[in-house]
Amino acid sequence: MRRIGLFTLLWLLISLPARAVLTIEITQGSDEAMPIAVVPFAWGGEGKAPEQLDQIIGADLHRSGFFRPLDKDDLIARPNTASKVNYADWRALNVNYLVVGRILPRDDGSYTVQFQLLDVNRRQQLAGYSLQTDKSGLRRTAHQISDIIYQEITGKRGAFDTFIAYITVIRDQADKPRYQLAIADSDGHNEQVIYKSRQPMLSPSWSPDGKKLVFVSFARGRSEIYIQNILSGETRRLAEFSGLNSSPTWSPDGEYLAMTLSRDGNPEVYVMHIEDRSLQRITRNGAIDTEPAWLPDSKGLVFTSDRGGSPQLYEVALNGDMRPAGRPARLTFRGSYNARASVSPDGKHVAMVHREGSRFRIAVQNRDSGQFRVLTDSRLDESPSFAPNGSMIIYATEDDYRGILSAVSVDGRAQQQLSLQQGDVREPAWSPLRSE
C-alpha cells in the first residue's frame, strides 16, 4: 500500500473519549539551561492574589528548554522590587537572572502588573514594565512577561503568547464520536472549540494573521477543504473537487493555499489563489505527491513524495505566478521514510516524521548543510509544527495507546507532554506570533 494518509488512517481508527482540559508535564529538561529565579508577585489587595503569575512565567521559561527556574522552596527572599534585592544572596545560589513584581488592584476592577528583570551578576535591571489588564487577561499578561524575558536574554522573540490548534474526539452518551477543532493558549489553557462535526477533521493550518484556520473535513462524506474564521465563526468551503482534497497549508504572504488534490486522477500538489480559487498544478509525477509545506518567503514548497521508491521530502522553487521554477530536488536521504514536513520560520530547518525500524520519530534537518538529527524517542510521532520563533516543535504522539501532544526543543534538550485527562488529541498546529 502506498504511503498516503498513513497517520490519517490511524487517526480515523482512534476515537477515544476526551475532556477539554490540556495539561502539561515536563518530561525532560536540560542541565545546561540558564538558572533563573521568578519570585512570587506581591499582591496589593485584600485576600488572595487573583492569579499566580510567577507560576505561569516559571512554567513558560522551563518549557522553552533554555531556562531552569529555581524551585519556590529554594527562594532565599521574596522581594517585589529591585530596590529590595540583595544581589550577593542570589549570586550565592548561582542564579543568573531574577524576576520580581507585584499586582496592584485599580479602582475600576482592573489591575496594574509591574515587573522587573534583573541581571544578578551585573547588578542591573534589564527590563521593567507596567502592564494594565483585567482579570481575564492576567494569564496572557504572564505570557507577555515571559516573552519579554526570553527576548531580553536570548535576543529572539518569545512564543509564549501564542496559540495552538488541534483536533479532539469526544464520545456522547450513545458512544458516537464528535470531532472538535479547538484552539488553546500555547500552554494548553483557555481552550475554545471553534468547529464541531460528527465526521472526522484533519490538518488545521493557521493563516499568517492568526485570524483563520484552514482544515480538512469529512462532513459531507468525503474529504473537503474549509476555511474557518475564528473571530466571526464563519465557515467557508473552499475545495470540493472530485477525488482527494487534503493537506492544506497557508502561504506566509496569506494569498495562497498549497494542497493535495487528485482531481486529475493522481494525488499531486497544487497551489490555490484564495481570492478567486484559481489553481496552479505544481507536481506532475506518477507517484504520490502530498503534504506541502511553504518556505518562509512563499517562493518554494517542501513536500512528501514516493517517486524515489519510498516516502522522502522534496523541494521545489516557485516563481512569482506560483509556477514551478525547475524540477523538484530531493531533500532527505537518511533512511527509507521521511514525511510530513514543517519548515522553520527562518527557513533554515525542516522538521519531519522519520522512521527508524518500526518507530516513527520527529527529526530535523538543516536545509543547507543536510545535518540531520532525531529529536524524539517514542513509537508513533506525527504532524510536527514549528513554534513561530523556531525554538520548539509541537507534534502528536501516543501515551498508553492514547493520542497526546508533545513538544521538543529544536536541539532536543527539553521535552514536554500536553495531554487530555481522558481521550484523544491530534493534528497540532502552532499559530503565528501575535502582531499586537
Side-chain angles (χ1 to χ4, degrees), residues 156-186:
K156 296 177 61 177
R157 286 192 66 177
F160 306 111
D161 185 27
T162 54
F163 298 104
I164 54 174
Y166 49 91
I167 307 292
T168 63
V169 179
I170 295 178
R171 287 190 174 274
D172 60 20
Q173 294 181 349
D175 201 33
K176 295 182 179 180
R178 183 174 72 249
Y179 298 85
Q180 297 185 157
L181 173 62
I183 63 173
D185 295 348
S186 67

PDB file of all heavy atoms in Angstrom, residues 156-186:
ATOM      1  N   LYS A 156      15.982  36.624  20.909  1.00  0.00           N
ATOM      2  CA  LYS A 156      14.953  36.145  19.989  1.00  0.00           C
ATOM      3  C   LYS A 156      13.577  36.382  20.599  1.00  0.00           C
ATOM      4  O   LYS A 156      13.411  36.343  21.820  1.00  0.00           O
ATOM      5  CB  LYS A 156      15.122  34.646  19.708  1.00  0.00           C
ATOM      6  CG  LYS A 156      16.407  34.289  19.000  1.00  0.00           C
ATOM      7  CD  LYS A 156      16.526  32.789  18.815  1.00  0.00           C
ATOM      8  CE  LYS A 156      15.397  32.230  17.973  1.00  0.00           C
ATOM      9  NZ  LYS A 156      15.542  30.777  17.716  1.00  0.00           N
ATOM     10  N   ARG A 157      12.579  36.600  19.751  1.00  0.00           N
ATOM     11  CA  ARG A 157      11.224  36.779  20.252  1.00  0.00           C
ATOM     12  C   ARG A 157      10.731  35.518  20.941  1.00  0.00           C
ATOM     13  O   ARG A 157      11.008  34.401  20.513  1.00  0.00           O
ATOM     14  CB  ARG A 157      10.262  37.126  19.116  1.00  0.00           C
ATOM     15  CG  ARG A 157      10.384  38.542  18.597  1.00  0.00           C
ATOM     16  CD  ARG A 157       9.220  38.893  17.695  1.00  0.00           C
ATOM     17  NE  ARG A 157       7.949  38.937  18.428  1.00  0.00           N
ATOM     18  CZ  ARG A 157       6.789  39.285  17.871  1.00  0.00           C
ATOM     19  NH1 ARG A 157       6.739  39.618  16.586  1.00  0.00           N
ATOM     20  NH2 ARG A 157       5.672  39.313  18.581  1.00  0.00           N
ATOM     21  N   GLY A 158      10.003  35.696  22.027  1.00  0.00           N
ATOM     22  CA  GLY A 158       9.375  34.566  22.674  1.00  0.00           C
ATOM     23  C   GLY A 158       8.120  34.149  21.940  1.00  0.00           C
ATOM     24  O   GLY A 158       7.576  34.908  21.130  1.00  0.00           O
ATOM     25  N   ALA A 159       7.642  32.937  22.225  1.00  0.00           N
ATOM     26  CA  ALA A 159       6.435  32.426  21.566  1.00  0.00           C
ATOM     27  C   ALA A 159       5.451  31.888  22.595  1.00  0.00           C
ATOM     28  O   ALA A 159       4.693  30.967  22.314  1.00  0.00           O
ATOM     29  CB  ALA A 159       6.806  31.337  20.563  1.00  0.00           C
ATOM     30  N   PHE A 160       5.463  32.473  23.781  1.00  0.00           N
ATOM     31  CA  PHE A 160       4.550  32.018  24.829  1.00  0.00           C
ATOM     32  C   PHE A 160       3.157  32.614  24.656  1.00  0.00           C
ATOM     33  O   PHE A 160       2.162  31.968  24.966  1.00  0.00           O
ATOM     34  CB  PHE A 160       5.112  32.378  26.208  1.00  0.00           C
ATOM     35  CG  PHE A 160       6.512  31.871  26.431  1.00  0.00           C
ATOM     36  CD1 PHE A 160       7.580  32.747  26.516  1.00  0.00           C
ATOM     37  CD2 PHE A 160       6.755  30.518  26.525  1.00  0.00           C
ATOM     38  CE1 PHE A 160       8.868  32.292  26.716  1.00  0.00           C
ATOM     39  CE2 PHE A 160       8.044  30.047  26.719  1.00  0.00           C
ATOM     40  CZ  PHE A 160       9.105  30.932  26.807  1.00  0.00           C
ATOM     41  N   ASP A 161       3.073  33.832  24.155  1.00  0.00           N
ATOM     42  CA  ASP A 161       1.787  34.494  23.933  1.00  0.00           C
ATOM     43  C   ASP A 161       1.269  34.145  22.542  1.00  0.00           C
ATOM     44  O   ASP A 161       1.048  35.008  21.689  1.00  0.00           O
ATOM     45  CB  ASP A 161       1.936  36.007  24.103  1.00  0.00           C
ATOM     46  CG  ASP A 161       0.610  36.750  23.994  1.00  0.00           C
ATOM     47  OD1 ASP A 161      -0.434  36.143  24.297  1.00  0.00           O
ATOM     48  OD2 ASP A 161       0.628  37.934  23.601  1.00  0.00           O
ATOM     49  N   THR A 162       1.087  32.863  22.314  1.00  0.00           N
ATOM     50  CA  THR A 162       0.609  32.352  21.027  1.00  0.00           C
ATOM     51  C   THR A 162      -0.436  31.275  21.294  1.00  0.00           C
ATOM     52  O   THR A 162      -0.785  30.987  22.436  1.00  0.00           O
ATOM     53  CB  THR A 162       1.764  31.760  20.200  1.00  0.00           C
ATOM     54  OG1 THR A 162       2.454  30.768  20.981  1.00  0.00           O
ATOM     55  CG2 THR A 162       2.753  32.837  19.771  1.00  0.00           C
ATOM     56  N   PHE A 163      -0.924  30.661  20.217  1.00  0.00           N
ATOM     57  CA  PHE A 163      -1.949  29.631  20.329  1.00  0.00           C
ATOM     58  C   PHE A 163      -1.486  28.340  19.659  1.00  0.00           C
ATOM     59  O   PHE A 163      -0.574  28.337  18.829  1.00  0.00           O
ATOM     60  CB  PHE A 163      -3.248  30.077  19.646  1.00  0.00           C
ATOM     61  CG  PHE A 163      -3.868  31.301  20.232  1.00  0.00           C
ATOM     62  CD1 PHE A 163      -3.756  32.535  19.586  1.00  0.00           C
ATOM     63  CD2 PHE A 163      -4.573  31.233  21.415  1.00  0.00           C
ATOM     64  CE1 PHE A 163      -4.339  33.668  20.117  1.00  0.00           C
ATOM     65  CE2 PHE A 163      -5.160  32.373  21.949  1.00  0.00           C
ATOM     66  CZ  PHE A 163      -5.044  33.588  21.302  1.00  0.00           C
ATOM     67  N   ILE A 164      -2.157  27.252  20.012  1.00  0.00           N
ATOM     68  CA  ILE A 164      -2.050  26.011  19.262  1.00  0.00           C
ATOM     69  C   ILE A 164      -3.448  25.604  18.828  1.00  0.00           C
ATOM     70  O   ILE A 164      -4.431  25.879  19.534  1.00  0.00           O
ATOM     71  CB  ILE A 164      -1.390  24.880  20.074  1.00  0.00           C
ATOM     72  CG1 ILE A 164      -2.117  24.676  21.415  1.00  0.00           C
ATOM     73  CG2 ILE A 164       0.086  25.147  20.292  1.00  0.00           C
ATOM     74  CD1 ILE A 164      -1.622  23.476  22.206  1.00  0.00           C
ATOM     75  N   ALA A 165      -3.554  24.996  17.667  1.00  0.00           N
ATOM     76  CA  ALA A 165      -4.802  24.409  17.196  1.00  0.00           C
ATOM     77  C   ALA A 165      -4.628  22.898  17.173  1.00  0.00           C
ATOM     78  O   ALA A 165      -3.514  22.398  16.975  1.00  0.00           O
ATOM     79  CB  ALA A 165      -5.158  24.930  15.799  1.00  0.00           C
ATOM     80  N   TYR A 166      -5.728  22.177  17.343  1.00  0.00           N
ATOM     81  CA  TYR A 166      -5.637  20.717  17.379  1.00  0.00           C
ATOM     82  C   TYR A 166      -7.034  20.137  17.204  1.00  0.00           C
ATOM     83  O   TYR A 166      -8.046  20.834  17.264  1.00  0.00           O
ATOM     84  CB  TYR A 166      -5.018  20.228  18.694  1.00  0.00           C
ATOM     85  CG  TYR A 166      -5.626  20.840  19.932  1.00  0.00           C
ATOM     86  CD1 TYR A 166      -6.696  20.242  20.586  1.00  0.00           C
ATOM     87  CD2 TYR A 166      -5.144  22.045  20.447  1.00  0.00           C
ATOM     88  CE1 TYR A 166      -7.264  20.813  21.713  1.00  0.00           C
ATOM     89  CE2 TYR A 166      -5.702  22.628  21.575  1.00  0.00           C
ATOM     90  CZ  TYR A 166      -6.761  22.007  22.200  1.00  0.00           C
ATOM     91  OH  TYR A 166      -7.324  22.584  23.319  1.00  0.00           O
ATOM     92  N   ILE A 167      -7.090  18.823  16.997  1.00  0.00           N
ATOM     93  CA  ILE A 167      -8.337  18.093  16.842  1.00  0.00           C
ATOM     94  C   ILE A 167      -8.523  17.174  18.039  1.00  0.00           C
ATOM     95  O   ILE A 167      -7.592  16.496  18.455  1.00  0.00           O
ATOM     96  CB  ILE A 167      -8.348  17.251  15.554  1.00  0.00           C
ATOM     97  CG1 ILE A 167      -7.997  18.103  14.322  1.00  0.00           C
ATOM     98  CG2 ILE A 167      -9.694  16.559  15.375  1.00  0.00           C
ATOM     99  CD1 ILE A 167      -9.019  19.134  13.949  1.00  0.00           C
ATOM    100  N   THR A 168      -9.736  17.148  18.596  1.00  0.00           N
ATOM    101  CA  THR A 168     -10.063  16.192  19.646  1.00  0.00           C
ATOM    102  C   THR A 168     -11.291  15.388  19.227  1.00  0.00           C
ATOM    103  O   THR A 168     -12.022  15.765  18.305  1.00  0.00           O
ATOM    104  CB  THR A 168     -10.363  16.879  20.994  1.00  0.00           C
ATOM    105  OG1 THR A 168     -11.526  17.701  20.855  1.00  0.00           O
ATOM    106  CG2 THR A 168      -9.190  17.743  21.424  1.00  0.00           C
ATOM    107  N   VAL A 169     -11.511  14.265  19.935  1.00  0.00           N
ATOM    108  CA  VAL A 169     -12.693  13.435  19.712  1.00  0.00           C
ATOM    109  C   VAL A 169     -13.393  13.232  21.047  1.00  0.00           C
ATOM    110  O   VAL A 169     -12.752  12.881  22.037  1.00  0.00           O
ATOM    111  CB  VAL A 169     -12.335  12.064  19.116  1.00  0.00           C
ATOM    112  CG1 VAL A 169     -13.598  11.229  18.923  1.00  0.00           C
ATOM    113  CG2 VAL A 169     -11.617  12.218  17.799  1.00  0.00           C
ATOM    114  N   ILE A 170     -14.687  13.483  21.065  1.00  0.00           N
ATOM    115  CA  ILE A 170     -15.498  13.262  22.265  1.00  0.00           C
ATOM    116  C   ILE A 170     -16.603  12.280  21.901  1.00  0.00           C
ATOM    117  O   ILE A 170     -17.241  12.409  20.850  1.00  0.00           O
ATOM    118  CB  ILE A 170     -16.119  14.573  22.778  1.00  0.00           C
ATOM    119  CG1 ILE A 170     -15.024  15.520  23.249  1.00  0.00           C
ATOM    120  CG2 ILE A 170     -17.119  14.311  23.898  1.00  0.00           C
ATOM    121  CD1 ILE A 170     -15.545  16.858  23.717  1.00  0.00           C
ATOM    122  N   ARG A 171     -16.844  11.304  22.760  1.00  0.00           N
ATOM    123  CA  ARG A 171     -17.937  10.361  22.551  1.00  0.00           C
ATOM    124  C   ARG A 171     -19.121  10.750  23.414  1.00  0.00           C
ATOM    125  O   ARG A 171     -18.970  11.059  24.589  1.00  0.00           O
ATOM    126  CB  ARG A 171     -17.488   8.936  22.861  1.00  0.00           C
ATOM    127  CG  ARG A 171     -16.563   8.356  21.792  1.00  0.00           C
ATOM    128  CD  ARG A 171     -16.331   6.881  21.997  1.00  0.00           C
ATOM    129  NE  ARG A 171     -15.575   6.310  20.897  1.00  0.00           N
ATOM    130  CZ  ARG A 171     -16.109   5.858  19.769  1.00  0.00           C
ATOM    131  NH1 ARG A 171     -17.419   5.916  19.605  1.00  0.00           N
ATOM    132  NH2 ARG A 171     -15.344   5.353  18.823  1.00  0.00           N
ATOM    133  N   ASP A 172     -20.305  10.740  22.804  1.00  0.00           N
ATOM    134  CA  ASP A 172     -21.501  11.119  23.534  1.00  0.00           C
ATOM    135  C   ASP A 172     -22.054   9.926  24.314  1.00  0.00           C
ATOM    136  O   ASP A 172     -21.437   8.857  24.361  1.00  0.00           O
ATOM    137  CB  ASP A 172     -22.549  11.707  22.587  1.00  0.00           C
ATOM    138  CG  ASP A 172     -22.977  10.731  21.502  1.00  0.00           C
ATOM    139  OD1 ASP A 172     -22.785   9.501  21.674  1.00  0.00           O
ATOM    140  OD2 ASP A 172     -23.505  11.179  20.474  1.00  0.00           O
ATOM    141  N   GLN A 173     -23.224  10.102  24.897  1.00  0.00           N
ATOM    142  CA  GLN A 173     -23.802   9.047  25.717  1.00  0.00           C
ATOM    143  C   GLN A 173     -24.156   7.808  24.908  1.00  0.00           C
ATOM    144  O   GLN A 173     -24.243   6.704  25.455  1.00  0.00           O
ATOM    145  CB  GLN A 173     -25.046   9.579  26.437  1.00  0.00           C
ATOM    146  CG  GLN A 173     -24.725  10.665  27.468  1.00  0.00           C
ATOM    147  CD  GLN A 173     -25.959  11.163  28.183  1.00  0.00           C
ATOM    148  OE1 GLN A 173     -27.083  10.844  27.783  1.00  0.00           O
ATOM    149  NE2 GLN A 173     -25.767  11.948  29.230  1.00  0.00           N
ATOM    150  N   ALA A 174     -24.353   7.985  23.615  1.00  0.00           N
ATOM    151  CA  ALA A 174     -24.626   6.842  22.739  1.00  0.00           C
ATOM    152  C   ALA A 174     -23.348   6.245  22.172  1.00  0.00           C
ATOM    153  O   ALA A 174     -23.399   5.394  21.284  1.00  0.00           O
ATOM    154  CB  ALA A 174     -25.553   7.264  21.606  1.00  0.00           C
ATOM    155  N   ASP A 175     -22.193   6.708  22.670  1.00  0.00           N
ATOM    156  CA  ASP A 175     -20.874   6.220  22.263  1.00  0.00           C
ATOM    157  C   ASP A 175     -20.570   6.547  20.800  1.00  0.00           C
ATOM    158  O   ASP A 175     -19.808   5.859  20.133  1.00  0.00           O
ATOM    159  CB  ASP A 175     -20.753   4.710  22.478  1.00  0.00           C
ATOM    160  CG  ASP A 175     -19.289   4.271  22.548  1.00  0.00           C
ATOM    161  OD1 ASP A 175     -18.460   5.058  23.050  1.00  0.00           O
ATOM    162  OD2 ASP A 175     -18.967   3.153  22.086  1.00  0.00           O
ATOM    163  N   LYS A 176     -21.152   7.643  20.314  1.00  0.00           N
ATOM    164  CA  LYS A 176     -20.856   8.096  18.957  1.00  0.00           C
ATOM    165  C   LYS A 176     -19.839   9.230  19.021  1.00  0.00           C
ATOM    166  O   LYS A 176     -19.946  10.118  19.871  1.00  0.00           O
ATOM    167  CB  LYS A 176     -22.132   8.564  18.250  1.00  0.00           C
ATOM    168  CG  LYS A 176     -23.130   7.447  18.014  1.00  0.00           C
ATOM    169  CD  LYS A 176     -24.348   7.955  17.262  1.00  0.00           C
ATOM    170  CE  LYS A 176     -25.333   6.839  16.992  1.00  0.00           C
ATOM    171  NZ  LYS A 176     -26.544   7.329  16.261  1.00  0.00           N
ATOM    172  N   PRO A 177     -18.858   9.243  18.135  1.00  0.00           N
ATOM    173  CA  PRO A 177     -17.808  10.262  18.212  1.00  0.00           C
ATOM    174  C   PRO A 177     -18.265  11.618  17.701  1.00  0.00           C
ATOM    175  O   PRO A 177     -19.061  11.710  16.758  1.00  0.00           O
ATOM    176  CB  PRO A 177     -16.701   9.692  17.324  1.00  0.00           C
ATOM    177  CG  PRO A 177     -17.430   8.848  16.326  1.00  0.00           C
ATOM    178  CD  PRO A 177     -18.603   8.267  17.052  1.00  0.00           C
ATOM    179  N   ARG A 178     -17.785  12.658  18.351  1.00  0.00           N
ATOM    180  CA  ARG A 178     -17.955  14.028  17.868  1.00  0.00           C
ATOM    181  C   ARG A 178     -16.577  14.655  17.774  1.00  0.00           C
ATOM    182  O   ARG A 178     -15.820  14.676  18.744  1.00  0.00           O
ATOM    183  CB  ARG A 178     -18.841  14.842  18.811  1.00  0.00           C
ATOM    184  CG  ARG A 178     -19.082  16.257  18.286  1.00  0.00           C
ATOM    185  CD  ARG A 178     -20.080  17.032  19.126  1.00  0.00           C
ATOM    186  NE  ARG A 178     -19.525  17.429  20.417  1.00  0.00           N
ATOM    187  CZ  ARG A 178     -19.907  16.942  21.569  1.00  0.00           C
ATOM    188  NH1 ARG A 178     -20.848  16.000  21.610  1.00  0.00           N
ATOM    189  NH2 ARG A 178     -19.376  17.361  22.696  1.00  0.00           N
ATOM    190  N   TYR A 179     -16.224  15.142  16.605  1.00  0.00           N
ATOM    191  CA  TYR A 179     -14.900  15.706  16.364  1.00  0.00           C
ATOM    192  C   TYR A 179     -14.937  17.206  16.602  1.00  0.00           C
ATOM    193  O   TYR A 179     -15.908  17.885  16.261  1.00  0.00           O
ATOM    194  CB  TYR A 179     -14.458  15.399  14.933  1.00  0.00           C
ATOM    195  CG  TYR A 179     -14.342  13.921  14.665  1.00  0.00           C
ATOM    196  CD1 TYR A 179     -15.460  13.174  14.288  1.00  0.00           C
ATOM    197  CD2 TYR A 179     -13.121  13.267  14.799  1.00  0.00           C
ATOM    198  CE1 TYR A 179     -15.363  11.805  14.061  1.00  0.00           C
ATOM    199  CE2 TYR A 179     -13.019  11.907  14.563  1.00  0.00           C
ATOM    200  CZ  TYR A 179     -14.147  11.180  14.195  1.00  0.00           C
ATOM    201  OH  TYR A 179     -14.042   9.829  13.985  1.00  0.00           O
ATOM    202  N   GLN A 180     -13.876  17.718  17.187  1.00  0.00           N
ATOM    203  CA  GLN A 180     -13.811  19.131  17.516  1.00  0.00           C
ATOM    204  C   GLN A 180     -12.489  19.730  17.052  1.00  0.00           C
ATOM    205  O   GLN A 180     -11.428  19.151  17.289  1.00  0.00           O
ATOM    206  CB  GLN A 180     -13.945  19.340  19.030  1.00  0.00           C
ATOM    207  CG  GLN A 180     -15.275  18.885  19.585  1.00  0.00           C
ATOM    208  CD  GLN A 180     -15.436  19.219  21.056  1.00  0.00           C
ATOM    209  OE1 GLN A 180     -16.559  19.306  21.556  1.00  0.00           O
ATOM    210  NE2 GLN A 180     -14.343  19.382  21.746  1.00  0.00           N
ATOM    211  N   LEU A 181     -12.587  20.864  16.392  1.00  0.00           N
ATOM    212  CA  LEU A 181     -11.418  21.680  16.094  1.00  0.00           C
ATOM    213  C   LEU A 181     -11.328  22.732  17.185  1.00  0.00           C
ATOM    214  O   LEU A 181     -12.271  23.489  17.403  1.00  0.00           O
ATOM    215  CB  LEU A 181     -11.566  22.335  14.724  1.00  0.00           C
ATOM    216  CG  LEU A 181     -10.502  23.370  14.330  1.00  0.00           C
ATOM    217  CD1 LEU A 181      -9.119  22.742  14.269  1.00  0.00           C
ATOM    218  CD2 LEU A 181     -10.861  24.013  12.986  1.00  0.00           C
ATOM    219  N   ALA A 182     -10.206  22.759  17.902  1.00  0.00           N
ATOM    220  CA  ALA A 182     -10.069  23.638  19.063  1.00  0.00           C
ATOM    221  C   ALA A 182      -8.770  24.421  18.980  1.00  0.00           C
ATOM    222  O   ALA A 182      -7.820  24.029  18.299  1.00  0.00           O
ATOM    223  CB  ALA A 182     -10.109  22.820  20.358  1.00  0.00           C
ATOM    224  N   ILE A 183      -8.755  25.538  19.705  1.00  0.00           N
ATOM    225  CA  ILE A 183      -7.525  26.295  19.893  1.00  0.00           C
ATOM    226  C   ILE A 183      -7.350  26.533  21.384  1.00  0.00           C
ATOM    227  O   ILE A 183      -8.316  26.540  22.150  1.00  0.00           O
ATOM    228  CB  ILE A 183      -7.531  27.641  19.128  1.00  0.00           C
ATOM    229  CG1 ILE A 183      -8.648  28.559  19.653  1.00  0.00           C
ATOM    230  CG2 ILE A 183      -7.655  27.415  17.636  1.00  0.00           C
ATOM    231  CD1 ILE A 183      -8.599  29.960  19.050  1.00  0.00           C
ATOM    232  N   ALA A 184      -6.108  26.715  21.805  1.00  0.00           N
ATOM    233  CA  ALA A 184      -5.802  26.997  23.203  1.00  0.00           C
ATOM    234  C   ALA A 184      -4.536  27.832  23.255  1.00  0.00           C
ATOM    235  O   ALA A 184      -3.800  27.949  22.266  1.00  0.00           O
ATOM    236  CB  ALA A 184      -5.615  25.696  23.996  1.00  0.00           C
ATOM    237  N   ASP A 185      -4.278  28.425  24.426  1.00  0.00           N
ATOM    238  CA  ASP A 185      -3.007  29.106  24.627  1.00  0.00           C
ATOM    239  C   ASP A 185      -1.872  28.106  24.444  1.00  0.00           C
ATOM    240  O   ASP A 185      -2.069  26.895  24.523  1.00  0.00           O
ATOM    241  CB  ASP A 185      -2.931  29.702  26.029  1.00  0.00           C
ATOM    242  CG  ASP A 185      -3.955  30.801  26.253  1.00  0.00           C
ATOM    243  OD1 ASP A 185      -4.566  31.253  25.271  1.00  0.00           O
ATOM    244  OD2 ASP A 185      -4.140  31.200  27.419  1.00  0.00           O
ATOM    245  N   SER A 186      -0.671  28.600  24.252  1.00  0.00           N
ATOM    246  CA  SER A 186       0.465  27.717  23.992  1.00  0.00           C
ATOM    247  C   SER A 186       0.746  26.763  25.139  1.00  0.00           C
ATOM    248  O   SER A 186       1.399  25.736  24.936  1.00  0.00           O
ATOM    249  CB  SER A 186       1.718  28.542  23.690  1.00  0.00           C
ATOM    250  OG  SER A 186       2.135  29.262  24.847  1.00  0.00           O
TER     251      SER A 186
END
